[in-house]
Amino acid sequence: MCASAQSWSDHVFQLLKDHDISTVATVPDAGLTGLLELCRADAGVRVVTLSSEEEGIGLGLGTWLGHGRLLVCMQSSGAGNCVNALALPAATRTPCLMLVTMRGGVDETNPWQVPMGRAVRPVLEAMNVACFEAGQADQVAVLFEQAATLAFGEGRAAAVLIGQSVLGVKRFNE
Amino acid sequence: MNDAGSKALSRRELVANVLASRGEALVVAGLGSPAWDLFAAGDAPENFYLWAGMGLAAPTGLGLALARPERRVLVVTGDGEMMMGVGSLAVIGVEAPANLSILVLDNESFAETGAQQGLTASGVDLAAMARAAGFAEAVTVRDEAEAQVLPEVLFKKPGPVLAVAKIALTQDAPAYPSRDGACLAGRFRENLAGAR
């Protein structure tokens, strides 16, 4: 893992603690590896592996109803799977905090990733999710703090989108 | 069509009978008829009704069950709703919450949209899928005699458990909970606030 990924993962992990987020639901992505390893190593954080990302939206609602707090993490393609589910936080005015590692940016080497990658922000915004885009590693923690404060303070959906400029680009060796 | 014929269970009676044994259980209803059934059986702040998010009743119940391990959580949903969220059976099997139960009201139809045939009409077996996902117990009941086991299975057996009840395809009297999602969620949380 490169130094910047270690750094933002450490900061986000600390913010989970600060915001009493004790469940992390995910369909993993390479960019989430550091954060998920920190979560799995901590007895106070439950990592729930999902079969599809939208389950995390329902799981988050149920967790909130039970007075808990959840973060759902996914790759950008998973944001597309969440669209209909995002009616739940919108209609119930409950928190939904998402961390999305992006594919499909300008340096993407797999063109099949581009349509959903380009659609993430407009699609999430259409479903009333406030989006916070981090293009540099040192922005991630600041934006995560803002998103978590908005989500849990106002009872709404918020997503931190971490760009490929932070994560690096997946290469296909041929 | 439902192969249980005239003996098929009445959904409203079944849900009312099951809920009579709920005790302190928290109940999440999937969208459509199961939510109306839950409301018809008696509204309570321990009830949460989904009005959207098809496929998400079980994940919502899982989140609640993990957050409140001291309370039994029952999800009441339909066969189409459960089928859309069938992957969540695997998630539940892995997390293995001992306090989570799912009751699937299976009329083998998309009753809310015009009674089009559903996948369970062709033999898809949700109880077998739950067992394969690692549920502690999964049963299918087809008549009133078999349905007698439901309170025991849903509220006493260590979870996760799933029960499929083969119900008749019926048109029932309207029974709608509030459509104000914020009100439903706030009521549910406030009721739980002092309960731990």
Side-chain angles (χ1 to χ4, degrees):
Chain A
M1 195 190 319
C2 69
S4 65
Q6 187 65 61
S7 174
W8 74 253
S9 299
D10 287 339
H11 287 131
V12 169
F13 180 71
Q14 184 55 50
L15 290 171
L16 297 181
K17 297 291 184 178
D18 294 348
H19 286 272
D20 290 324
I21 298 166
S22 58
T23 307
V24 175
T26 190
V27 176
D29 183 34
L32 295 166
T33 303
L35 176 62
L36 294 174
E37 283 178 355
L38 290 168
C39 292
R40 288 188 195 282
D42 188 305
V45 180
R46 178 190 285 266
V47 178
V48 177
T49 301
L50 306 169
S51 80
S52 186
E53 292 84 354
E54 71 272 21
E55 294 159 356
I57 310 301
L59 202 72
L61 171 60
T63 302
W64 179 251
L65 290 175
H67 292 247
R69 293 182 175 198
L70 175 144
L71 168 70
V72 56
C73 311
M74 66 193 75
Q75 190 192 85
S76 48
S77 45
N81 292 347
C82 290
V83 176
N84 185 50
L86 288 165
L88 269 50
T92 56
R93 282 178 264 149
T94 54
C96 171
L97 183 60
M98 305 166 72
L99 182 64
V100 180
T101 46
M102 295 299 295
R103 297 285 306 271
V106 290
D107 296 325
E108 177 64 55
T109 57
N110 175 3
W112 297 55
Q113 286 282 353
V114 173
M116 190 63 234
R118 288 174 61 97
V120 167
R121 184 162 187 159
V123 162
L124 291 181
E125 287 178 340
M127 292 306 291
N128 200 32
V129 181
C131 291
F132 297 79
E133 256 183 292
Q136 296 177 328
D138 60 5
Q139 295 174 325
V140 175
V142 175
L143 296 177
F144 190 91
E145 170 67 26
Q146 292 174 0
T149 301
L150 181 68
F152 295 111
E154 295 190 16
R156 62 168 299 181
V160 178
L161 315 181
I162 305 181
Q164 284 172 299
S165 55
V166 177
L167 302 165
V169 176
K170 184 174 183 177
R171 300 290 173 194
F172 296 88
N173 298 316
E174 294 172 37
Chain B
M1 286 301 290
N2 196 308
D3 62 4
S6 59
K7 287 175 65 187
L9 292 157
S10 152
R11 61 187 307 149
R12 286 283 166 89
E13 282 178 32
L14 179 97
V15 171
N17 288 340
V18 166
L19 286 169
S21 303
R22 69 184 287 175
E24 298 282 294
L26 308 170
V27 185
V28 174
L31 80 178
S33 303
W36 327 148
D37 295 336
L38 176 62
F39 184 77
D43 191 28
E46 293 85 1
N47 293 353
F48 185 76
Y49 312 92
L50 288 162
W51 280 87
M54 186 165 175
L56 296 179
T60 302
L62 175 61
L64 183 57
L66 295 177
R68 305 300 293 219
E70 79 283 8
R71 298 287 286 267
R72 178 65 72 153
V73 174
L74 173 66
V75 173
V76 181
T77 194
D79 53 288
E81 207 275 350
M82 189 69 252
M83 193 60 67
M84 189 175 285
V86 77
S88 66
L89 294 179
V91 182
I92 292 166
V94 169
E95 297 302 321
N99 60 328
L100 179 61
S101 304
I102 300 174
L103 172 60
V104 180
L105 303 171
D106 183 3
N107 53 18
E108 305 181 347
S109 307
F110 295 95
E112 203 62 32
T113 57
Q116 300 90 344
Q117 182 173 292
L119 292 164
T120 57
S122 302
V124 175
D125 184 342
L126 282 165
M129 293 172 100
R131 279 191 291 275
F135 274 54
E137 181 156 349
V139 301
T140 299
V141 300
R142 297 175 182 279
D143 58 33
E144 286 184 19
E146 292 179 2
Q148 298 298 312
V149 303
L150 290 179
E152 171 79 12
V153 167
L154 295 171
F155 297 123
K156 302 289 187 205
K157 293 281 181 74
V161 299
L162 181 143
V164 176
K166 292 288 185 180
I167 56 166
L169 180 58
T170 51
Q171 294 265 355
D172 299 288
Y176 302 134
S178 169
R179 265 169 272 190
D180 184 335
C183 175
L184 292 170
R187 177 182 78 155
F188 189 97
R189 288 188 88 241
E190 283 167 22
N191 178 63
L192 269 184
R196 202 189 287 272

mmCIF file of all heavy atoms in Angstrom, chain A residues 8-9 61 75 77 115 122 128 137 156:
data_model
loop_
_atom_site.group_PDB
_atom_site.id
_atom_site.type_symbol
_atom_site.label_atom_id
_atom_site.label_comp_id
_atom_site.label_asym_id
_atom_site.label_seq_id
_atom_site.Cartn_x
_atom_site.Cartn_y
_atom_site.Cartn_z
ATOM 1 N N TRP A 8 -4.743 8.156 4.609
ATOM 2 C CA TRP A 8 -6.176 8.480 4.645
ATOM 3 C C TRP A 8 -6.981 7.373 5.307
ATOM 4 O O TRP A 8 -7.963 7.642 6.006
ATOM 5 C CB TRP A 8 -6.720 8.896 3.274
ATOM 6 C CG TRP A 8 -6.925 7.849 2.210
ATOM 7 C CD1 TRP A 8 -6.172 7.664 1.095
ATOM 8 C CD2 TRP A 8 -7.993 6.875 2.140
ATOM 9 N NE1 TRP A 8 -6.667 6.619 0.350
ATOM 10 C CE2 TRP A 8 -7.786 6.123 0.961
ATOM 11 C CE3 TRP A 8 -9.086 6.554 2.952
ATOM 12 C CZ2 TRP A 8 -8.637 5.073 0.585
ATOM 13 C CZ3 TRP A 8 -9.921 5.518 2.582
ATOM 14 C CH2 TRP A 8 -9.695 4.796 1.410
ATOM 15 N N SER A 9 -6.527 6.145 5.158
ATOM 16 C CA SER A 9 -7.225 5.046 5.829
ATOM 17 C C SER A 9 -7.140 5.202 7.344
ATOM 18 O O SER A 9 -8.128 5.009 8.056
ATOM 19 C CB SER A 9 -6.628 3.701 5.414
ATOM 20 O OG SER A 9 -6.766 3.498 4.024
ATOM 21 N N LEU A 61 -30.074 1.595 7.659
ATOM 22 C CA LEU A 61 -31.346 2.050 8.230
ATOM 23 C C LEU A 61 -31.686 1.227 9.482
ATOM 24 O O LEU A 61 -32.034 1.783 10.524
ATOM 25 C CB LEU A 61 -32.466 1.934 7.193
ATOM 26 C CG LEU A 61 -33.892 2.178 7.705
ATOM 27 C CD1 LEU A 61 -34.042 3.577 8.293
ATOM 28 C CD2 LEU A 61 -34.910 1.957 6.572
ATOM 29 N N GLN A 75 -16.974 0.241 -4.269
ATOM 30 C CA GLN A 75 -16.431 0.822 -5.484
ATOM 31 C C GLN A 75 -17.549 1.580 -6.197
ATOM 32 O O GLN A 75 -18.740 1.309 -5.987
ATOM 33 C CB GLN A 75 -15.900 -0.302 -6.381
ATOM 34 C CG GLN A 75 -15.106 0.194 -7.569
ATOM 35 C CD GLN A 75 -14.851 -0.942 -8.571
ATOM 36 O OE1 GLN A 75 -15.669 -1.248 -9.435
ATOM 37 N NE2 GLN A 75 -13.706 -1.574 -8.430
ATOM 38 N N SER A 77 -18.882 1.415 -9.058
ATOM 39 C CA SER A 77 -19.898 0.629 -9.757
ATOM 40 C C SER A 77 -21.029 0.231 -8.805
ATOM 41 O O SER A 77 -22.195 0.133 -9.197
ATOM 42 C CB SER A 77 -19.276 -0.619 -10.384
ATOM 43 O OG SER A 77 -18.409 -1.255 -9.477
ATOM 44 N N PRO A 115 -18.793 4.352 -17.978
ATOM 45 C CA PRO A 115 -20.168 4.877 -17.867
ATOM 46 C C PRO A 115 -20.635 5.037 -16.422
ATOM 47 O O PRO A 115 -21.166 6.092 -16.044
ATOM 48 C CB PRO A 115 -21.001 3.815 -18.614
ATOM 49 C CG PRO A 115 -20.048 3.207 -19.581
ATOM 50 C CD PRO A 115 -18.724 3.179 -18.860
ATOM 51 N N PRO A 122 -23.858 12.393 -10.478
ATOM 52 C CA PRO A 122 -25.233 12.798 -10.819
ATOM 53 C C PRO A 122 -26.300 11.829 -10.323
ATOM 54 O O PRO A 122 -27.390 12.248 -9.913
ATOM 55 C CB PRO A 122 -25.219 12.887 -12.353
ATOM 56 C CG PRO A 122 -23.933 12.322 -12.809
ATOM 57 C CD PRO A 122 -22.983 12.363 -11.664
ATOM 58 N N ASN A 128 -30.706 12.473 -3.760
ATOM 59 C CA ASN A 128 -30.605 13.320 -2.559
ATOM 60 C C ASN A 128 -29.427 12.953 -1.665
ATOM 61 O O ASN A 128 -29.489 13.099 -0.444
ATOM 62 C CB ASN A 128 -31.917 13.281 -1.749
ATOM 63 C CG ASN A 128 -32.039 14.472 -0.815
ATOM 64 O OD1 ASN A 128 -31.548 15.559 -1.125
ATOM 65 N ND2 ASN A 128 -32.671 14.267 0.329
ATOM 66 N N ALA A 137 -5.211 12.970 -1.436
ATOM 67 C CA ALA A 137 -5.272 12.128 -0.233
ATOM 68 C C ALA A 137 -5.550 12.943 1.030
ATOM 69 O O ALA A 137 -6.289 12.509 1.913
ATOM 70 C CB ALA A 137 -3.970 11.337 -0.084
ATOM 71 N N ARG A 156 -29.500 12.559 6.866
ATOM 72 C CA ARG A 156 -29.612 12.460 5.416
ATOM 73 C C ARG A 156 -28.460 11.619 4.868
ATOM 74 O O ARG A 156 -27.602 11.162 5.626
ATOM 75 C CB ARG A 156 -29.640 13.832 4.766
ATOM 76 C CG ARG A 156 -28.400 14.670 4.981
ATOM 77 C CD ARG A 156 -28.403 15.865 4.058
ATOM 78 N NE ARG A 156 -28.402 15.435 2.659
ATOM 79 C CZ ARG A 156 -28.386 16.269 1.621
ATOM 80 N NH1 ARG A 156 -28.420 17.564 1.821
ATOM 81 N NH2 ARG A 156 -28.343 15.820 0.385
#
